Amino acid sequence: MRIMRRSQTHKKEFLMNHNTDGTENFHASRRNHNTNSAMTNTSARRVRPSRSVAALEERVIEHLKKDEFSEALKLYEQIIDSYTTTFKKRKELNAADGLNMSPFIGNALYNLGIIHFLDGNFAEALSYLEQSAENREAFNGVGHPDHLASLIKTALCYYAIEDFGKAHTLLESALALGESSCQQIEDLMQIAEVLNNLGCLSFMCGEPVEANRLFQRSLELQHSVLSDSIYGGSEMASPSTTLCYSVTRGNSAFLKMCSRDNHAAIVSFEAALMSQQMLLHDAHETMIATMDHLAVANLLCGRKQKALDLMKRMLRAQVEAYGEADPRCAATVTKIGMVREKEDRIQGAVNQISKAHAVREKGGGGGGKSDSRRNLKGLIR
């Protein structure tokens, strides 16, 4: 089950409102609603950063793509130092151009929270994100998209530390605010993000029917955005939109698998994987999770070779990305071994039964019969 970290409480996947590498959550110092990036500054007037700050922000994002979080934090500290110097100079010059610096503070708090979240430091992330929510509520107003973004990411922190009650309260609040102030395509995607995450919470709390209802609502909204983009232009959608849609489809497929509708689960997992493999590298956490679940669904339908093919693909990707000594590779090797062992046991039992029949036909003794029973018992275990 994948929480929309625009992704699951793992560091790389903001199931929704995230681009293909998990960095769309990072807000830089300018607003750009219609692009892949959610890097924003939501002040009433547009403020462009200095070239040095913009360059640093790009470098931060590149480090985040590679999971180099300590390097990203060091660079972001330089960005904050640059902002601090600018603020002091403006104060010394008594700048009177009406420029409000609050958005810079809100974005800085938010970005620091995102970096800590991606690194798995949820307590640190929670502190920054809660402060960013307060700042953005005060400056942008209740229900503004950036205020909602901070609420959603704060909820994900609570989800990550398994405080599902607080996570649910924040997401329900974000949903009500989002639905009451929805104006743009991006707002619909934000609402879909909340619905997906509420679906994950419902599943975690043992309510699969409610989870399915929420996933279907999320899919309907995302499908409407993608459908409108056909006639309204591709700028209305993005790779992020397609990826998010695939993640929710994967979540819906997981519910189907849990209810033993394995053939329907396979169809949905395959559809999700078709989109994801166009946008993500094979070793990406979301790709691995989808392939893993699809492999299980295939096993449950008796399609062992397809399951093995998926697991081998997973292993190749993990070895290439992380090296053979990585624990993720070892886990996949173990899964492949388990499937093959079961296959070998089945083949062994079949061979013993065939031998037993051959012995009977020749009028042999009962040794073959006991051997075949022994193998069948092993198969049943």
Side-chain angles (χ1 to χ4, degrees):
M1 191 64 60
R2 316 297 286 173
I3 193 82
M4 256 195 194
R5 296 185 266 193
R6 241 216 267 176
S7 202
Q8 189 117 299
T9 58
H10 192 278
K11 63 188 177 186
K12 282 291 287 183
E13 298 157 284
F14 282 149
L15 282 189
M16 227 184 229
N17 191 28
H18 70 311
N19 61 8
T20 56
D21 48 42
T23 58
E24 181 165 322
N25 301 280
F26 191 83
H27 283 203
S29 19
R30 54 190 175 280
R31 186 72 167 176
N32 191 1
H33 257 319
N34 293 323
T35 66
N36 246 1
S37 176
M39 304 195 313
T40 65
N41 178 333
T42 52
S43 59
R45 54 173 297 176
R46 183 168 296 180
V47 182
R48 297 192 179 279
S50 69
R51 290 182 180 179
S52 61
V53 168
L56 285 171
E57 287 170 343
E58 292 301 321
R59 288 172 61 192
V60 169
I61 290 176
E62 288 304 312
H63 282 302
L64 291 179
K65 290 178 181 179
K66 301 173 185 176
D67 284 357
E68 297 170 348
F69 302 113
S70 60
E71 290 84 351
L73 281 170
K74 289 175 185 176
L75 285 175
Y76 205 76
E77 287 170 0
Q78 293 181 40
I79 293 173
I80 293 174
D81 289 341
S82 177
Y83 283 153
T84 302
T85 301
T86 302
F87 298 163
K88 287 180 179 178
K89 286 181 179 178
R90 289 179 57 78
K91 189 174 182 179
E92 290 170 0
L93 295 172
N94 293 317
D97 57 6
L99 177 62
N100 192 320
M101 294 300 182
S102 292
F104 290 97
I105 298 171
N107 284 348
L109 291 167
Y110 181 90
N111 290 341
L112 285 168
I114 290 299
I115 295 171
H116 282 293
F117 186 96
L118 292 173
D119 197 20
N121 298 323
F122 302 122
E124 285 289 326
L126 187 59
S127 174
Y128 285 117
L129 290 169
E130 286 182 330
Q131 291 179 69
S132 77
E134 292 175 5
N135 173 279
R136 288 171 161 183
E137 179 181 346
F139 178 73
N140 300 114
V142 176
H144 185 278
D146 282 359
H147 173 230
L148 294 183
S150 291
L151 288 181
I152 293 167
K153 300 308 180 291
T154 302
L156 294 184
C157 280
Y158 281 117
Y159 183 100
I161 61 176
E162 299 186 3
D163 190 338
F164 299 139
K166 287 184 179 179
H168 185 268
T169 298
L170 283 170
L171 288 172
E172 285 286 1
S173 175
L175 179 62
L177 292 171
E179 290 179 331
S180 66
S181 60
C182 180
Q183 296 179 353
Q184 303 181 53
I185 293 295
E186 293 81 4
D187 301 334
L188 287 177
M189 288 303 296
Q190 201 167 44
I191 293 170
E193 173 185 2
V194 176
L195 288 168
N196 178 86
N197 294 349
L198 282 169
C200 291
L201 275 173
S202 294
F203 178 82
M204 294 295 291
C205 294
E207 300 176 358
V209 175
E210 176 64 8
N212 184 61
R213 184 186 71 83
L214 291 163
F215 288 146
Q216 294 309 312
R217 281 188 63 194
S218 180
L219 284 171
E220 288 169 7
L221 284 179
Q222 293 177 73
H223 187 268
S224 70
V225 171
L226 291 169
S227 296
D228 288 346
S229 71
I230 296 172
Y231 301 98
S234 59
E235 69 276 2
M236 296 178 66
S238 69
S240 170
T241 311
T242 303
L243 178 59
C244 293
Y245 186 62
S246 77
V247 167
T248 307
R249 288 200 73 168
N251 286 342
S252 178
F254 188 80
L255 282 182
K256 291 182 175 71
M257 189 168 66
C258 291
S259 63
R260 300 184 181 182
D261 190 357
N262 296 313
H263 289 284
I266 287 174
V267 172
S268 294
F269 278 133
E270 287 180 341
L273 194 58
M274 286 178 192
S275 297
Q276 290 168 17
Q277 67 184 3
M278 300 296 291
L279 300 168
L280 306 173
H281 59 82
D282 273 11
H284 191 283
E285 298 286 349
T286 298
M287 278 282 290
I288 293 293
T290 304
M291 287 191 284
D292 198 20
H293 290 145
L294 178 55
V296 172
N298 274 295
L299 278 174
L300 293 172
C301 287
R303 302 172 180 177
K304 297 180 182 64
Q305 190 54 52
K306 285 185 177 292
L308 281 170
D309 289 343
L310 281 165
M311 291 178 184
K312 290 174 186 176
R313 179 182 175 184
M314 290 164 55
L315 182 59
R316 287 194 300 271
Q318 290 170 324
V319 168
E320 183 178 342
Y322 310 120
E324 294 180 359
D326 190 90
R328 286 166 283 197
C329 299
T332 304
V333 168
T334 300
K335 292 175 186 177
I336 292 173
M338 291 171 66
V339 174
R340 281 180 171 166
E341 180 186 357
K342 185 175 181 181
E343 221 174 12
D344 291 342
R345 282 172 31 215
I346 292 172
Q347 189 58 51
V350 170
N351 291 341
Q352 288 297 327
I353 291 170
S354 299
K355 289 178 182 178
H357 280 297
V359 168
R360 284 197 196 95
E361 288 175 2
K362 293 178 181 179
K369 185 175 180 181
S370 64
D371 285 345
S372 65
R373 284 179 177 171
R374 220 172 10 249
N375 278 280
L376 284 172
K377 288 180 180 177
L379 176 60
I380 293 169
R381 285 202 299 271

